[in-house]
Amino acid sequence: MTDDEIMAEGAKIAEERAQGKFISIEELCARLGITLETALALGAEEASRIYGRPMRFEAIPCRRR
């Protein structure tokens, strides 16, 4: 997808969310053509901007026995 296509799809998603539709992270990634890791990195970037301090996601290994 081009940047313009991603922005257009993002606008569609924002409109759907404004109308009360739940959009899962899996659907969001598929519609934008990005990986989960990219979505989390973008989310951390946006949270950093909103809260004015560095934010990050930390992966915690699953410890199943």
Side-chain angles (χ1 to χ4, degrees), residues 34-53:
I34 61 176
T35 64
L36 178 59
E37 291 82 3
T38 299
L40 292 174
L42 292 171
E45 220 175 85
E46 183 68 5
S48 296
R49 186 188 67 75
I50 291 169
Y51 293 104
R53 61 188 175 102

Side-chain angles (χ1 to χ4, degrees), residues 2 8 10 12 14-16 19 22 24 26 30 33-34 40-46 59-60:
T2 67
K12 288 179 196 174
E15 178 62 31
E16 290 173 20
Q19 294 173 5
F22 173 79
S24 70
E26 291 87 4
I34 61 176
L40 292 174
L42 292 171
E45 220 175 85
E46 183 68 5
I60 300 172

Side-chain angles (χ1 to χ4, degrees), residues 2-65:
T2 67
D3 288 348
D4 289 339
E5 291 170 329
I6 291 171
M7 293 300 289
E9 190 62 33
K12 288 179 196 174
I13 291 168
E15 178 62 31
E16 290 173 20
R17 291 191 68 222
Q19 294 173 5
K21 180 179 180 191
F22 173 79
I23 299 175
S24 70
I25 190 74
E26 291 87 4
E27 181 182 351
L28 178 71
C29 291
R31 287 177 63 179
L32 295 177
I34 61 176
T35 64
L36 178 59
E37 291 82 3
T38 299
L40 292 174
L42 292 171
E45 220 175 85
E46 183 68 5
S48 296
R49 186 188 67 75
I50 291 169
Y51 293 104
R53 61 188 175 102
M55 299 282 193
R56 64 188 174 101
F57 286 95
E58 187 174 318
I60 300 172
C62 180
R63 296 186 181 165
R64 293 184 183 165
R65 293 182 185 182

